[in-house]
Amino acid sequence: MRMFATIAKLLVMRVLTAIPILFVVSMLLFGILRILPVDPAAMSLPPNATTQEVEAMRSEMGLNRPIYEQFGIWLGKLLEGDIGRSIHFRQDVTSLIGSTLPATIELALLAMMVGTVLGIAGGLFLFYVRGTRAEAVMDFVSILLLSLPEFLWSLFLLLIFGVFFEVLPFTGRLSPGFERPVVTGFLLFDSLITGNIATLLNAMQHMILPSLALGIALSPALMRVLRSSLLDAYQDDYIHQARLRGLSEKRLLVRHGLKNAILPTLSLMGVQFGFLFGGTLLVEIIYSYPGMGNLMVDAIRNADLPIIQGAGLTYCVAVLVISIVVDSLYLILNPKLRVR
């Protein structure tokens, strides 16, 4: 019960902290975008619109008011769930984000799973070969992996598996001829609950290359942090005492070493997942993946300020949620923090 009470207290504190953070972020987004040399009124009208028509549109959109009044009107609509209307797509920003956000969430979660598996396996192997000649080789490999960004991995995997061997699809989410079930907006989940296994498998094939590119780029940092944490844990007295009690190296690693070394790795995973969620942009462009990244690029290309504001706030909310989840997991895995 104490654990649930502590987690509930943490959730309340994080939510209360998130409110001023979201307010400041929304204010910065609104202010920065308003000082750009872009006229939303002119962009929402045809190219041959007259000056009088542009001024009338500016008045209708409230752009001729002081910026603090504009922010107040926009914030009031935001609290009502109205993020605005896209200048380029002529649709509500909420519906546009709602149709692309699930795709990015699915990609980020799958990439995080790939990166976690590779990172933990690589970190354990780095720890296992410590003090041997293989350690220097693996150190070099991990640094090399760490120095390559995700868009280079995207291009490399696309050329090898998509163009040269032609074994995996590399554009879009589904191949032609596959019907997309719409229940929650999450394609993998919707395909699963509707029993559409063919669509599920095809969608997963389309996600292999982008999730691998993101996961491989994520894994080296996890490898090195886990290896360092294990080396630190094995210097503590309880490891030596457990070894004297006759525990095997395998049980020593699982019951003592990994249990304590996983906490710093978990913290890094939370930070990395936050960056990963916002870092899918280039990968989505390379693979023509219809997620938030592609929507954001289209918005920037067309100076679609309502979408940029909405997407920026969405990324901020996602990072805050990830932070809360990681902190909760930290409390569950570390009993010492629950004593406070």
Coordinates of all heavy atoms in Angstrom, one line a residue, residues 16-61:
L16 N 0.9 18.5 -11.3 CA 0.9 19.9 -10.9 C 2.1 20.6 -11.5 O 2.0 21.8 -11.8 CB 0.9 20.0 -9.3 CG -0.3 19.5 -8.6 CD1 -0.2 19.6 -7.1 CD2 -1.5 20.4 -9.1
T17 N 3.3 19.9 -11.6 CA 4.5 20.5 -12.2 C 4.3 20.7 -13.7 O 4.8 21.7 -14.3 CB 5.7 19.7 -11.9 OG1 5.8 19.4 -10.5 CG2 7.0 20.3 -12.4
A18 N 3.6 19.8 -14.3 CA 3.4 19.8 -15.8 C 2.6 21.0 -16.2 O 2.8 21.5 -17.3 CB 2.8 18.5 -16.2
I19 N 1.7 21.5 -15.4 CA 0.8 22.6 -15.8 C 1.6 23.9 -16.1 O 1.4 24.4 -17.2 CB -0.3 22.9 -14.7 CG1 -1.2 21.7 -14.6 CG2 -1.1 24.1 -15.0 CD1 -2.2 21.7 -13.5
P20 N 2.5 24.4 -15.2 CA 3.2 25.6 -15.6 C 4.2 25.3 -16.7 O 4.5 26.2 -17.5 CB 4.0 25.9 -14.3 CG 4.0 24.7 -13.4 CD 2.7 24.0 -13.8
I21 N 4.7 24.0 -16.8 CA 5.6 23.7 -17.9 C 4.9 23.9 -19.3 O 5.4 24.5 -20.2 CB 6.2 22.3 -17.8 CG1 7.2 22.3 -16.6 CG2 7.0 21.9 -19.0 CD1 7.7 20.9 -16.3
L22 N 3.7 23.3 -19.3 CA 2.9 23.4 -20.6 C 2.6 24.8 -20.9 O 2.5 25.2 -22.0 CB 1.7 22.5 -20.4 CG 1.9 21.0 -20.5 CD1 0.6 20.3 -20.2 CD2 2.4 20.6 -21.9
F23 N 2.3 25.6 -19.8 CA 1.9 27.0 -20.0 C 3.1 27.8 -20.6 O 3.0 28.5 -21.6 CB 1.5 27.7 -18.7 CG 1.2 29.1 -18.9 CD1 0.0 29.6 -19.4 CD2 2.1 30.1 -18.4 CE1 -0.3 30.9 -19.6 CE2 1.8 31.4 -18.5 CZ 0.6 31.9 -19.1
V24 N 4.3 27.6 -20.1 CA 5.5 28.3 -20.6 C 5.8 27.8 -22.0 O 6.2 28.6 -22.9 CB 6.7 28.0 -19.6 CG1 8.0 28.5 -20.2 CG2 6.5 28.6 -18.3
V25 N 5.7 26.5 -22.3 CA 6.0 26.0 -23.6 C 5.0 26.6 -24.6 O 5.4 27.0 -25.7 CB 6.0 24.5 -23.6 CG1 6.0 23.9 -25.1 CG2 7.1 23.9 -22.8
S26 N 3.8 26.6 -24.3 CA 2.8 27.2 -25.2 C 3.0 28.6 -25.4 O 2.8 29.1 -26.6 CB 1.3 26.9 -24.6 OG 1.2 27.6 -23.4
M27 N 3.4 29.4 -24.4 CA 3.7 30.8 -24.5 C 4.9 31.0 -25.4 O 4.9 31.9 -26.3 CB 3.9 31.4 -23.2 CG 4.1 32.9 -23.2 SD 4.0 33.6 -21.5 CE 5.4 32.7 -20.7
L28 N 5.9 30.2 -25.2 CA 7.1 30.3 -26.1 C 6.8 30.0 -27.5 O 7.3 30.7 -28.5 CB 8.3 29.4 -25.5 CG 8.9 29.9 -24.2 CD1 9.9 28.8 -23.7 CD2 9.6 31.2 -24.4
L29 N 6.1 28.9 -27.7 CA 5.7 28.5 -29.1 C 4.9 29.6 -29.8 O 5.2 30.0 -30.9 CB 4.9 27.2 -29.0 CG 5.6 25.9 -29.1 CD1 4.6 24.8 -28.8 CD2 6.4 25.7 -30.4
F30 N 3.9 30.1 -29.1 CA 3.1 31.2 -29.7 C 3.9 32.4 -30.0 O 3.8 33.0 -31.1 CB 1.9 31.5 -28.7 CG 0.9 32.4 -29.3 CD1 -0.2 31.8 -30.0 CD2 1.0 33.8 -29.2 CE1 -1.2 32.6 -30.5 CE2 0.0 34.6 -29.8 CZ -1.1 34.0 -30.4
G31 N 4.7 32.8 -29.0 CA 5.5 34.1 -29.2 C 6.5 34.0 -30.3 O 6.7 34.9 -31.2
I32 N 7.3 32.8 -30.4 CA 8.3 32.7 -31.4 C 7.7 32.6 -32.8 O 8.2 33.2 -33.7 CB 9.1 31.4 -31.1 CG1 10.0 31.6 -29.8 CG2 10.0 31.0 -32.3 CD1 10.7 30.3 -29.3
L33 N 6.6 31.9 -32.9 CA 6.0 31.7 -34.2 C 5.3 33.0 -34.7 O 5.3 33.3 -35.9 CB 4.9 30.6 -34.2 CG 5.4 29.2 -34.0 CD1 4.3 28.2 -33.9 CD2 6.4 28.8 -35.1
R34 N 4.9 33.9 -33.8 CA 4.3 35.1 -34.2 C 5.3 36.2 -34.6 O 4.9 37.1 -35.4 CB 3.5 35.7 -33.0 CG 2.1 35.0 -32.8 CD 1.3 35.0 -34.0 NE 0.0 34.4 -33.8 CZ -0.2 33.1 -34.0 NH1 0.8 32.3 -34.4 NH2 -1.4 32.5 -33.8
I35 N 6.6 36.0 -34.2 CA 7.6 37.0 -34.7 C 8.2 36.6 -36.0 O 9.0 37.3 -36.6 CB 8.7 37.2 -33.6 CG1 9.5 35.9 -33.4 CG2 8.1 37.8 -32.3 CD1 10.6 36.1 -32.4
L36 N 7.8 35.4 -36.5 CA 8.4 35.0 -37.8 C 7.7 35.8 -38.9 O 6.6 36.3 -38.8 CB 8.0 33.5 -38.1 CG 8.7 32.5 -37.2 CD1 8.3 31.1 -37.5 CD2 10.3 32.6 -37.3
P37 N 8.4 36.1 -40.0 CA 7.9 36.9 -41.1 C 6.9 36.1 -42.0 O 7.1 35.9 -43.2 CB 9.1 37.2 -41.9 CG 10.1 36.1 -41.7 CD 9.8 35.7 -40.3
V38 N 5.8 35.6 -41.3 CA 4.8 34.8 -42.0 C 3.4 35.4 -41.6 O 3.2 35.7 -40.5 CB 4.9 33.4 -41.5 CG1 3.7 32.6 -42.2 CG2 6.2 32.7 -41.9
D39 N 2.6 35.6 -42.6 CA 1.3 36.1 -42.4 C 0.2 35.0 -42.6 O -0.1 34.6 -43.8 CB 1.0 37.3 -43.4 CG -0.3 38.0 -43.1 OD1 -1.0 37.6 -42.2 OD2 -0.6 39.0 -43.7
P40 N -0.3 34.5 -41.5 CA -1.3 33.4 -41.7 C -2.5 33.8 -42.5 O -3.1 33.0 -43.2 CB -1.6 33.0 -40.2 CG -0.5 33.5 -39.4 CD 0.0 34.7 -40.1
A41 N -2.9 35.1 -42.4 CA -4.1 35.5 -43.1 C -3.9 35.5 -44.6 O -4.7 35.0 -45.3 CB -4.4 36.9 -42.7
A42 N -2.7 35.9 -45.1 CA -2.4 35.9 -46.5 C -2.3 34.5 -47.0 O -2.7 34.2 -48.1 CB -1.1 36.7 -46.8
M43 N -1.7 33.6 -46.2 CA -1.5 32.2 -46.6 C -2.8 31.4 -46.7 O -2.9 30.4 -47.4 CB -0.5 31.5 -45.7 CG 0.9 32.1 -45.7 SD 2.1 31.1 -44.9 CE 2.1 29.6 -45.9
S44 N -3.8 31.9 -45.9 CA -5.1 31.2 -45.9 C -6.0 31.6 -47.0 O -7.1 31.0 -47.2 CB -5.8 31.4 -44.6 OG -6.1 32.8 -44.4
L45 N -5.6 32.6 -47.8 CA -6.4 33.1 -49.0 C -5.7 32.7 -50.3 O -4.5 32.4 -50.3 CB -6.5 34.6 -48.8 CG -7.3 35.2 -47.7 CD1 -7.2 36.7 -47.6 CD2 -8.8 34.8 -47.8
P46 N -6.4 32.8 -51.4 CA -5.8 32.5 -52.7 C -4.7 33.5 -53.0 O -4.7 34.6 -52.5 CB -7.0 32.6 -53.7 CG -8.2 32.4 -52.8 CD -7.9 33.0 -51.5
P47 N -3.8 33.2 -53.9 CA -2.7 34.1 -54.2 C -3.1 35.4 -54.8 O -2.4 36.4 -54.7 CB -1.8 33.3 -55.2 CG -2.2 31.9 -55.0 CD -3.6 31.9 -54.5
N48 N -4.3 35.5 -55.4 CA -4.7 36.7 -56.1 C -5.6 37.5 -55.1 O -6.4 38.4 -55.6 CB -5.5 36.4 -57.4 CG -6.7 35.4 -57.1 OD1 -6.8 34.9 -56.0 ND2 -7.5 35.2 -58.1
A49 N -5.6 37.2 -53.9 CA -6.5 38.0 -52.9 C -6.0 39.4 -52.8 O -4.8 39.7 -52.9 CB -6.4 37.3 -51.5
T50 N -6.9 40.3 -52.7 CA -6.6 41.8 -52.6 C -6.1 42.1 -51.2 O -6.3 41.3 -50.2 CB -7.8 42.6 -53.0 OG1 -8.9 42.4 -52.0 CG2 -8.3 42.3 -54.3
T51 N -5.6 43.3 -51.1 CA -5.1 43.8 -49.7 C -6.3 43.9 -48.8 O -6.1 43.6 -47.6 CB -4.4 45.1 -49.9 OG1 -3.4 45.0 -50.9 CG2 -3.8 45.6 -48.6
Q52 N -7.4 44.4 -49.3 CA -8.6 44.5 -48.4 C -9.1 43.1 -47.9 O -9.5 43.0 -46.7 CB -9.8 45.2 -49.2 CG -9.5 46.6 -49.5 CD -8.6 46.8 -50.7 OE1 -8.3 45.9 -51.4 NE2 -8.2 48.1 -50.9
E53 N -9.0 42.1 -48.7 CA -9.4 40.8 -48.3 C -8.4 40.2 -47.3 O -8.9 39.6 -46.3 CB -9.5 39.8 -49.5 CG -10.6 40.1 -50.5 CD -10.5 39.3 -51.7 OE1 -9.4 38.9 -52.1 OE2 -11.6 39.0 -52.3
V54 N -7.1 40.5 -47.4 CA -6.1 40.1 -46.5 C -6.4 40.7 -45.1 O -6.3 40.1 -44.0 CB -4.7 40.3 -47.0 CG1 -3.7 40.0 -45.9 CG2 -4.4 39.5 -48.2
E55 N -6.6 42.1 -45.2 CA -6.9 42.8 -43.9 C -8.2 42.3 -43.2 O -8.2 42.2 -42.0 CB -7.0 44.3 -44.2 CG -5.6 44.9 -44.5 CD -4.6 44.8 -43.4 OE1 -5.0 44.9 -42.2 OE2 -3.4 44.6 -43.7
A56 N -9.2 42.0 -44.0 CA -10.4 41.5 -43.4 C -10.2 40.1 -42.8 O -10.7 39.9 -41.7 CB -11.5 41.4 -44.5
M57 N -9.3 39.3 -43.4 CA -9.0 38.0 -42.8 C -8.2 38.2 -41.6 O -8.4 37.4 -40.6 CB -8.3 37.1 -43.8 CG -7.9 35.7 -43.3 SD -9.3 34.7 -42.8 CE -10.1 34.4 -44.3
R58 N -7.3 39.1 -41.6 CA -6.5 39.4 -40.4 C -7.4 39.8 -39.2 O -7.1 39.4 -38.1 CB -5.4 40.5 -40.6 CG -4.3 40.0 -41.5 CD -3.3 41.2 -41.7 NE -2.8 41.6 -40.5 CZ -1.7 41.1 -39.8 NH1 -1.1 40.0 -40.3 NH2 -1.3 41.6 -38.7
S59 N -8.4 40.6 -39.5 CA -9.3 41.1 -38.5 C -10.1 39.9 -38.0 O -10.4 39.8 -36.8 CB -10.2 42.2 -39.0 OG -11.1 42.6 -38.1
E60 N -10.5 39.0 -38.9 CA -11.4 37.9 -38.5 C -10.6 36.9 -37.7 O -11.1 36.3 -36.7 CB -11.9 37.1 -39.8 CG -12.7 35.9 -39.5 CD -13.2 35.2 -40.8 OE1 -13.2 35.9 -41.8 OE2 -13.5 34.0 -40.7
M61 N -9.3 36.7 -38.0 CA -8.4 35.8 -37.2 C -7.8 36.5 -36.0 O -7.2 35.8 -35.2 CB -7.3 35.3 -38.1 CG -7.7 34.5 -39.3 SD -6.4 34.1 -40.5 CE -5.5 32.9 -39.5

